[in-house]
């Protein structure tokens, strides 16, 4: 894995990128398996890019999934196979097929055991990895399970690519907290196809602790590359928190970022000031923005500096006056609320902890503040869901609309309520990891029920996800190493999933629609995520008891 030459940097419509000469440097392709626009909207991706480039002997360049042709780096147009290391940043399961296309088009053999010292080392990190890395285990040489900041120094120190690949992997496993080298673990299956155990090679630990940044103030996360080509056009994103204290039973964020951490007022005000040097638009990011202890102070600083604040999320039952004023001042056109379910019973099952009154009041407050449109997130296919629960999505939407109209009348303008309907996908490390996902036919019926129920309601639109994509997401999210073979077949079939699901000898329903027994060993059980499995099981049983 020797060093390779560089080409002249190319110009792109962005500012803040790092461009270095490649000579005698360790070259790292930070790869995002989706478009430039999606990748550059991801603050974690930007943060890791700058963390790698802090090292004088490292040159890190960004590579995105191309629309067509071979992927090349933004900074110097290098091909993937020109790099010493390819580091994938993984957030979303449905992007995983793009990893294979990128490697293939980039001239890199797909399987880890087909690559030698003449090929780049392929590593991966990001939330997708620390939920369940196993479907990618045959392709990735080493994963980092957890947050990057606390381990990036040790990671870079141990990337001595003059050594044989096996030795580099052994060094990573031995010296980098959270490093997981799949080739050091052999899964063993029972006759019924479930996992019996994950057997580590001698010297490899049985469990791997997810690493996390203990003091988030030590590493503020704020936009450094500004570009118009993101979801957040020329906005400075500031991460205010990690994790979420609410622990809704379907949601990974409430479980896999524990403990919940908020950045301090001082650090966040500094970030805001840094952002204001570039733009008036500041996006506060985090799963629990409305729980941030210093949110009102940030809103007031925003007002004093004429910043336009936006918020990645807020809860219907926790909207302070300052937050609503900030939204209104920012001339926000659409506010988003996430009731998730229509009936109170269903919201109790998922532990959403908001009442219908909270939702109706929030809708009214937002409209009265001058925000004309509402977007409401709902799910179908939740555990124990009945036809009546689905009908309640329709009924609740109508009640919200009634309140919405009354609040809109004095303003003399009636906006639109957009319903976003998603199929529930059971995820690892949540209390619903044992639950079956609804089959495609049932999901389609439920979506149709909601669409028909709201078809003649003026000012309400319904957009539903495609259940087949949710099915594939579930397959990958809860898959084991054998699902890697399905990914490989899908790649050979040029992304034709219907054909792939028909051809594969591995039964996809085994992963997607099967109820797991309480004793089942999961492919991700070897990760110590600081949440006891028994606690999750108790939570699952509590949810089922509300049936
Ligand atoms: S759904 Fe929202 S409130 Fe609930 S745990 Fe997830 S991020 Fe937190």
């Amino acid at each position: 894995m020797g060093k390779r030459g560089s080409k002249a940097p190319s110009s792109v419509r962005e500012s803040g990128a790092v461009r270095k000469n490649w000579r005698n440097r360790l070259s790292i392709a930070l790869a995002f398996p989706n478009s430039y626009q999606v990748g550059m909207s991801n603050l974690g991706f930007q943060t890791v890019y700058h963390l790698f480039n802090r090292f004088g002997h490292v040159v890190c360049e960004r590579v995105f999934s191309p629309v067509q042709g071979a992927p090349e780096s933004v900074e110097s147009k290098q091909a993937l196979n020109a790099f010493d290391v390819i580091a994938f940043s993984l957030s979303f399961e449905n992007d995983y097929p793009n990893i294979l296309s990128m490697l293939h088009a980039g001239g890199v053999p797909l399987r880890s055991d087909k690559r030698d010292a003449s090929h780049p080392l392929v590593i991966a990190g990001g939330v997708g990895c620390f939920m369940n890395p196993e479907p990618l285990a045959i392709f990735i040489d080493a994963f980092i399970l957890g947050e990057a900041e606390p381990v990036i120094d040790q990671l870079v120190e141990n990337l001595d690519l003059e050594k044989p690949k096996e030795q580099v992997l052994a060094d990573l496993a031995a010296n980098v907290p959270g490093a997981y080298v799949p080739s050091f673990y052999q899964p063993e299956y029972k006759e019924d196809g479930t996992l019996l155990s994950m057997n580590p090679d001698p010297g490899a630990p049985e469990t791997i602790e997810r690493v996390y940044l203990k003091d988030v103030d030590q590493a503020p996360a704020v936009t450094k590359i500004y570009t118009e080509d993101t979801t957040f056009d020329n906005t400075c994103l500031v991460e205010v928190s990690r994790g979420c204290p609410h622990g809704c039973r379907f949601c990974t964020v409430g479980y896999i970022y524990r403990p919940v951490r908020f950045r301090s007022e001082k650090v966040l005000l500094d970030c805001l000031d840094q952002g204001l040097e570039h733009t008036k638009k500041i996006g506060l990011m985090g799963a629990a923005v409305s729980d941030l202890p210093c949110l009102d102070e940030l809103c007031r600083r925003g007002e004093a500096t004429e910043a336009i604040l936006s918020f990645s999320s807020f809860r219907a039952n926790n909207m302070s006056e300052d937050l609503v004023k900030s939204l209104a001042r920012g001339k926000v056109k659409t506010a988003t609320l996430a009731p998730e379910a229509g009936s109170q019973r269903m919201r109790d099952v998922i532990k959403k902890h908001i009442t219908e009154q909270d939702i109706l009041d929030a809708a009214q407050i937002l409209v009265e503040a001058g925000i004309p449109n509402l977007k409401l997130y709902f799910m179908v296919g939740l555990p124990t869901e009945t036809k009546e629960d689905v009908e309640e999505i329709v009924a609740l939407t109508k009640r919200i609309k009634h309140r919405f109209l009354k609040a809109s009348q004095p303003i003399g303008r009636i906006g639109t309520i957009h319903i976003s309907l998603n199929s529930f996908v059971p995820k690892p490390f949540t209390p619903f990891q044992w639950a079956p996902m609804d089959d495609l036919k049932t999901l389609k019926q439920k979506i149709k029920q909601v669409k028909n129920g709201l078809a003649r309601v003026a000012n309400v639109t319904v957009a539903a996800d495609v259940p087949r994509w949710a099915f594939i997401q579930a397959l990958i999210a809860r898959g084991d190493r054998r699902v890697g073979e399905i990914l490989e077949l899908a790649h050979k079939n040029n992304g034709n999933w219907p054909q792939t699901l028909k051809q594969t000898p591995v039964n996809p329903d085994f992963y997607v629609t099967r109820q797991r027994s309480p004793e089942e060993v999961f492919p991700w059980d070897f990760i110590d995520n600081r949440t006891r499995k028994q606690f999750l099981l108790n939570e699952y049983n509590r949810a089922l008891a509300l049936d």
Side-chain angles (χ1 to χ4, degrees), residues 244-248 250-255 287-288 315 340 351-352:
C244 177
H246 296 289
C248 303
F250 65 90
C251 174
T252 48
V253 178
Y255 295 93
R315 279 176 68 86
E340 315 287 8
K351 211 175 167 190
K352 186 69 191 182

Side-chain angles (χ1 to χ4, degrees), residues 309-426:
L309 296 189
S310 58
F311 308 86
S312 63
S313 63
F314 46 84
R315 279 176 68 86
N317 59 353
N318 193 6
M319 300 190 320
S320 72
E321 213 178 296
D322 283 309
L323 182 142
V324 176
K325 260 168 62 185
S326 287
L327 286 172
R329 245 180 0 90
K331 300 200 174 15
V332 171
K333 296 274 181 299
T334 303
T336 302
L337 294 173
E340 315 287 8
S343 68
Q344 190 59 50
R345 186 196 77 82
M346 206 66 254
R347 285 194 297 276
D348 291 342
V349 167
I350 63 174
K351 211 175 167 190
K352 186 69 191 182
H353 283 326
I354 51 170
T355 63
E356 178 162 323
Q357 199 57 45
D358 293 330
I359 299 162
L360 295 175
D361 289 349
Q364 179 171 343
I365 290 168
L366 290 165
V367 175
E368 284 175 351
I371 299 161
N373 307 308
L374 280 181
K375 185 169 187 182
L376 303 173
Y377 280 102
F378 287 102
M379 280 185 287
V380 287
L382 287 161
T384 79
E385 186 179 63
T386 63
K387 213 169 171 220
E388 289 70 39
D389 291 315
V390 178
E391 204 49 45
E392 275 299 307
I393 296 176
V394 174
L396 176 61
T397 303
K398 288 180 178 169
R399 288 193 287 273
I400 294 171
K401 190 200 157 183
H402 181 70
R403 188 71 87 86
F404 177 81
L405 279 185
K406 268 177 83 177
S408 300
Q409 269 159 7
I411 302 164
R413 179 180 53 178
I414 298 170
T416 303
I417 298 179
H418 303 280
I419 304 296
S420 173
L421 204 55
N422 296 296
S423 304
F424 163 67
V425 175

Side-chain angles (χ1 to χ4, degrees), residues 7-56:
K7 291 179 186 169
S10 63
S11 61
V12 282
R13 286 196 310 161
E14 57 178 27
S15 64
V18 180
R19 291 194 163 80
K20 292 182 181 176
N21 190 305
W22 278 41
R23 194 182 303 276
N24 295 328
R25 288 197 164 100
L26 175 75
S27 55
I28 300 178
L30 183 61
F32 196 89
N34 205 316
S35 64
Y36 175 91
Q37 205 204 27
V38 175
M40 289 306 293
S41 307
N42 184 311
L43 190 52
F45 178 78
Q46 284 212 28
T47 301
V48 173
Y49 171 72
H50 282 90
L51 286 173
F52 275 135
N53 274 315
R54 273 184 314 137
F55 296 90

Side-chain angles (χ1 to χ4, degrees), residues 127-145:
V127 62
C129 303
F130 52 96
M131 268 194 292
N132 178 17
E134 283 304 278
L136 293 173
I138 57 176
F139 311 113
I140 303 291
D141 297 320
F143 293 92
I144 298 299
L145 306 180

Side-chain angles (χ1 to χ4, degrees), residues 1 26-33 48 52 84-90 99 103 108 112 115 120-126 129 136 139-145 151-152 155-156 158-159 161 165 168-169 172 176 179-182:
M1 292 186 210
L26 175 75
S27 55
I28 300 178
L30 183 61
F32 196 89
V48 173
F52 275 135
D84 296 319
V85 177
I86 302 170
F88 278 102
S89 169
L90 306 178
I99 297 172
L103 289 175
V108 181
S112 172
R115 296 191 295 263
L121 189 77
V122 181
I123 62 175
C129 303
L136 293 173
F139 311 113
I140 303 291
D141 297 320
F143 293 92
I144 298 299
L145 306 180
V151 295
I152 202 138
L155 172 64
V156 171
N158 283 279
L159 290 173
L161 303 187
K165 179 176 170 181
V168 175
L169 294 177
L172 290 174
V176 183
Y180 166 53
V181 177

